[in-house]
Amino acid sequence: MSDSLLEVRGLSKSFPGVRALQGVDFTVRRGEIHALMGENGAGKSTLIKVMTGVYERDAGTTRLDAKEIFPRSPREAEACGISTVYQEVNLIPHLSVAENICLGRQPTAFGKIRWGAIMQRATQALARLDLDIDPSRQLSACSIAIQQMVALARAMDVSAKLLILDEPTSSLDERECEELFKVIRKLRDEGMGIVFVTHFMDQVYAVTNRITVLRNGQLVGEYLTSELPRLELVARMIGKDAKEVAAMESQQPGMRSVRDEKPFLEVRNFGRKGSIAPLDLSIRPGEVVGLAGLLGSGRTETARIIFGVDKPDCGEMFLDGERVSISSPRAAIRRRIAFTAEDRKIDGIIPNLSIRENIVLALQASRGTWSKLSRAKQDELADKFIKALRIKTPGPEQLIKNLSGGNQQKVLLGRWLATEPRLIILDEPTRGIDVGAKAEIEKLITDLRRDGLAILFISSELEEVVRTSQRVVILRDRKKVGELAGDAISEHAIMNQIAAPTAESKAVVDV
Amino acid sequence: MNRINPKYIPLAATALVMIALYVLGCVLYPNFTSPRVIVNLFGDNAFLGIAAVGATFVILSGGIDLSVGAVIAFIGIFIASMIASGMQPLVAIVLALVVGTVFGAVQGSLIRVFDLPPFLVTLGGMFFMRGMAFVVRQESLAIKHSFYQQTIRQLVIPLAPRVNIPFTAMCLIAVVVVATYVCVYTRFGRNVYAIGSSENSALLMGVPVGGTKIGIYALAGFFSALAGCVSTFYMQSGNPASFVGLELDAIAAVVVGGTLLTGGVGFVPGTLMGVLILGLIQTLITFQGNLNTWWTRIAIGVLLLLFIVLQKAIAGRGRA
C-alpha cells in the first residue's frame, strides 16, 4: 500500500513580513507514519495549520484521496477526513470524557441530544484504541496523558483518513509515549495516514516510516526513515553538511583551557536553608561553569541566591575579590550580573513589543526612566544583536510573538547582553527549542566565553553541559557533590557523581 | 466511583442554603409556612429570575451582560407607550421581544466581529438603552388596557383556597424549563459550556464559536426583553428610571446558584435557586419587620463572597 492519500503541491503562505511557506510539496501515503521535521520557524506549524484549515493558503493545492480540498476551518478539515491532535491538549476541561469525544457532532433526535448514544459512542471510540477510561469522568480529573489519549479518540471518532499529531508527546513520560505509539501503529496498520511532528529524534526513528524535512519555509526533501541516518537528518534540518554536524557534536579538545585569571565571582560556604546546602563556587572571566544535576537538585536555587532573588543565610560572596552582599536582583544587575530564567514565557518575553523594544528593555530599566536611550542607539543595539545572535527575522520592528521559540530565546539573551554583563547565568536556555537552535545557542555561549564573559550554565542535557563547560559543578539533593574540570569532564563522569552516593571524596579534580 | 463530581458541590451548597433559609423562616414565623409565601416568592421575583436565566447563558460562556436592567426598563416604558398610543398589547409584546433580541444580537456581533470585551460592549449597551428609555418617555406610565387589568390577572392556576399561582410565576417556571432543556439537550447549549471552559479549544474542536457567541447575547437580549414584559404584568406600568442595577442582582443570583463566573460550569436550575435565595432573604427581613431593607443587600453580599470562596476552594482541589 503506497498510494498517496494526501498530496500538497506548491503550497505558499505569507504573514506580514514573513514568508512562512514557499512552494512546499508534501505527500502522505496510506498506512504510513510520516515525520515532519524542521527547526523552529521552518514552517511545520504553518503547514499543519493550513492543512487543518486554521490558516488559508496563499497558493498551492491540497488533494485528499485525489480530490481537491480547501478547508477553511478545523471543522471543514474534519469533515474532509483530516483530524488533528495538538501539542497542548485542546479539549474542554469542564466537560466529561464522553462529551469531549463527541462535542460538535453529538447524535441527536429532532435536535435533542441523545446522551445514551454519546456514552455508547465514546465507549466504542475508547475501546477501539484499547483504552480503559471511564467516559463519564470529567476531563480535568484525568492526567495529561489520558487527556492526550482522549484527544486521539476524538480525532478517530470521525471517520478520519489522515491524522495529524503535532508534538503529542512533549508532556508524556516514556511509558505513556509507548502507549501512544502502540495506538498509532495500530491505526497505521488499519491503513490510516499519520503525520507526526516531534522534536525527539528517538521517537522519529522509533515509529515513523518516512521523513519530510523543511527548512526556512522550503522543502528540503522526503526520505525513508531507514535510509536517513540521524546525523544526516540533523544536517538537513539545519542546512549544514553532516561532517560539520559531527564536528559540532564532538568539539572537545582545545576548548577546555582557560586563561588563568582571578575569579570574577567567588562564593564560599554559600547557602540557604531548605534550598541549597552551603557550597563553594567560583567563575572566572572567559569560563563556562556548568551546573549539572537532576531536576530538583538545587540548580535553579543556586542561581537564585547568586542573583539575589533569595537571600543566602550563610557564607560570603566576592566579586573581583571584593566582598559584597547582593540583596536583590536590582543590586545584582547593578553589579553587572545577568540572569535568564528557566521559563522564558514568564520571566522573559513581552509578546506584543518588537524585537528592538524587547532588547533595549533591561538596559533602559537599568538607566532609569529619565535617561531615555535615543532611537538611533536603540536601532543600533537591535541591529547589532540581530546580527550577532543570528536572530531570524525580517527586521527589528517585528513583534517578538511572531518569532519561533529559539529566536525568542536569542532575543532574551540579547536583552541581557545589551547591559554588558560580566557574569551571565543561563538557566535552561535550550529547553523547548529544536536541535538547530540549540546548536546555535551553544555556539553563542562559546563565543561569549571567548569574549571574556563569565557564564554559569544550567542545563538538564548533560551532552550540552559537557560540550560547553570548562568546569562542571555537580549537585545532588540540594548539595554540591563534586566538581570536574578540563578533560575530566565527560557525561559518564557526571552521571557517576549524580548517581554514586559515596563519590564525594574523589570528586574534586584540580585544574 | 462513589465520589460526587466536584461540579455538583456548589449546586448542593445552593440547595442547602435555600432549604435552610426556608426552614429558618418557618421556625421563626408561623405565617411563613403558608403556601402563599412560596407563590409570592416566584411571582415577585419572576422578572429577576428570567433576566438571571439569560445572564446564566452569558456567564456560562465566560462573558458578562451589564445591559439587563436598562433593557428591562426600556422594554417596560416601550410597551406602556405603545399600548397608550393604541397598539394591541400582544403586538407590542412581540415587537418588544424582537427589539430585545436584535439589540442582544448587535451586542454579540460587536463582541464577536471586533473581538471586544463583553464588559465594555454591554456597558455601552446599558447606557444606550437607559437613554433610549428616557427618549421614549421621561416619566413612568401606567398601562390601562383590559388585557392587563383583566386577562393577565385572571390567568392564574388556583393552588389552595385564596392562593393562586400568578401568570408571572408561570412565565418564570416555563423559562427555567426551556432554558434547562437548551443547556442540556441541544448542541447550542453544550457549545456554550465548551466556549466558557476553553474558547480556544472549542474553536479547534470545530465548535462554531462566532455564531454561538452572537446567539448567546441574542438569547440574553430576548430574556431581558421577556423579563421587561413580565415586569409590566407585575407593575402594570412602565418606568424609564426603574431597575437600575438589576443586572448585578442577576449576576449575584447566577453565582450564588453555582455557576462559575469564569464560565464552563453551571446549571439553570441553580440560577432559579439563587434567585429564590435572594427572594427568601428579602422575605425574611420583611417578616422580621424591624430591620431596614438594606440588610437584604448586606446578606446577599456576604452570601456572594462565601460562594466565591467555596468555588475557589473546589477549583483548587480539582487541580490537586
Side-chain angles (χ1 to χ4, degrees), chain A residues 104-118:
Chain A
R105 41 177 191 254
Q106 300 99 327
T108 56
F110 306 108
K112 177 177 185 280
I113 292 176
R114 292 159 52 217
W115 283 97
I118 287 182

Side-chain angles (χ1 to χ4, degrees), chain A residues 87-358:
Chain A
Q87 175 175 15
E88 276 110 37
V89 178
N90 278 296
L91 295 173
I92 311 295
H94 289 120
L95 299 183
S96 70
V97 167
E99 200 172 357
N100 267 294
I101 291 175
C102 298
L103 186 74
R105 41 177 191 254
Q106 300 99 327
T108 56
F110 306 108
K112 177 177 185 280
I113 292 176
R114 292 159 52 217
W115 283 97
I118 287 182
M119 279 298 172
Q120 212 179 345
R121 202 158 127 187
T123 312
Q124 278 167 8
L126 293 169
R128 184 172 166 206
L129 303 181
D130 298 324
L131 298 172
D132 184 25
I133 303 169
D134 173 10
S136 64
R137 223 161 154 216
Q138 189 173 326
L139 187 83
S140 58
C142 303
S143 70
I144 296 290
I146 298 275
Q147 293 188 20
Q148 198 65 267
M149 297 293 181
V150 173
L152 200 59
R154 174 183 168 84
M156 300 311 310
D157 179 59
V158 280
S159 40
K161 299 168 187 162
L162 181 74
L163 179 64
I164 300 173
L165 302 167
D166 188 3
E167 299 203 38
T169 54
S170 48
S171 47
L172 305 186
D173 68 28
E174 214 168 305
R175 197 179 46 81
E176 291 164 339
C177 282
E178 216 24 73
E179 284 286 308
L180 179 79
F181 292 161
K182 217 171 72 192
V183 170
I184 64 175
R185 283 193 193 106
K186 184 176 166 193
L187 296 172
R188 175 196 65 195
D189 295 341
E190 289 173 12
M192 183 177 280
I194 296 165
V195 179
F196 185 65
V197 180
T198 181
H199 278 147
F200 299 103
M201 292 279 167
D202 290 341
Q203 299 180 352
V204 171
Y205 285 93
V207 290
T208 68
N209 309 96
R210 223 178 275 263
I211 301 173
T212 288
V213 179
L214 298 179
R215 188 175 65 241
N216 293 333
Q218 285 170 318
L219 177 72
V220 175
E222 189 199 82
Y223 315 91
L224 283 171
T225 308
S226 53
E227 291 171 6
L228 185 71
R230 273 173 205 234
L231 224 49
E232 286 283 334
L233 171 57
V234 174
R236 300 272 143 86
M237 283 167 64
I238 62 180
K240 304 213 161 81
D241 71 54
K243 274 185 213 137
E244 275 182 79
V245 178
M248 208 162 68
E249 300 224 323
S250 62
Q251 70 177 197
Q252 287 194 355
M255 61 146 320
R256 296 284 183 216
S257 59
V258 180
R259 280 165 288 171
D260 197 359
E261 283 189 57
K262 284 215 177 69
F264 170 68
L265 170 100
E266 192 174 7
V267 295
R268 283 186 211 142
N269 196 30
F270 204 56
R272 178 184 156 88
K273 238 185 160 161
S275 72
I276 181 79
L279 56 74
D280 297 345
L281 181 76
S282 64
I283 310 173
R284 277 164 291 195
E287 180 181 48
V288 178
V289 174
L291 212 47
L294 301 173
L295 219 69
S297 58
R299 297 174 312 190
T300 300
E301 288 77 359
T302 307
R304 283 170 67 95
I305 56 171
I306 292 174
F307 196 58
V309 184
D310 298 326
K311 282 207 179 68
D313 51 18
C314 64
E316 304 172 294
M317 180 167 180
F318 302 89
L319 286 179
D320 279 335
E322 178 200 348
R323 201 182 150 182
V324 294
S325 97
I326 286 177
S327 55
S328 70
R330 256 183 94 78
I333 293 167
R334 222 175 299 128
R335 302 231 176 231
R336 297 176 65 189
I337 299 177
F339 177 44
T340 68
E342 204 168 349
D343 195 331
R344 64 174 168 271
K345 289 247 168 62
I346 294 172
D347 162 71
I349 65 162
I350 301 185
N352 287 317
L353 292 186
S354 69
I355 294 174
R356 170 180 55 82
E357 289 164 318
N358 268 289

Side-chain angles (χ1 to χ4, degrees), chain A residues 34-82:
Chain A
H34 196 130
L36 188 56
M37 301 292 288
E39 299 183 72
N40 285 341
K44 290 169 302 185
S45 314
T46 310
L47 177 55
I48 287 174
K49 285 187 169 151
V50 171
M51 290 193 285
T52 55
V54 177
Y55 295 154
E56 276 187 43
R57 61 197 172 196
D58 297 339
T61 57
T62 309
R63 285 163 180 278
L64 188 70
D65 264 344
K67 221 173 62 199
E68 183 139 355
I69 57 166
F70 200 132
R72 263 168 303 236
S73 68
R75 197 186 178 78
E76 284 184 27
E78 230 175 60
C80 298
I82 299 178

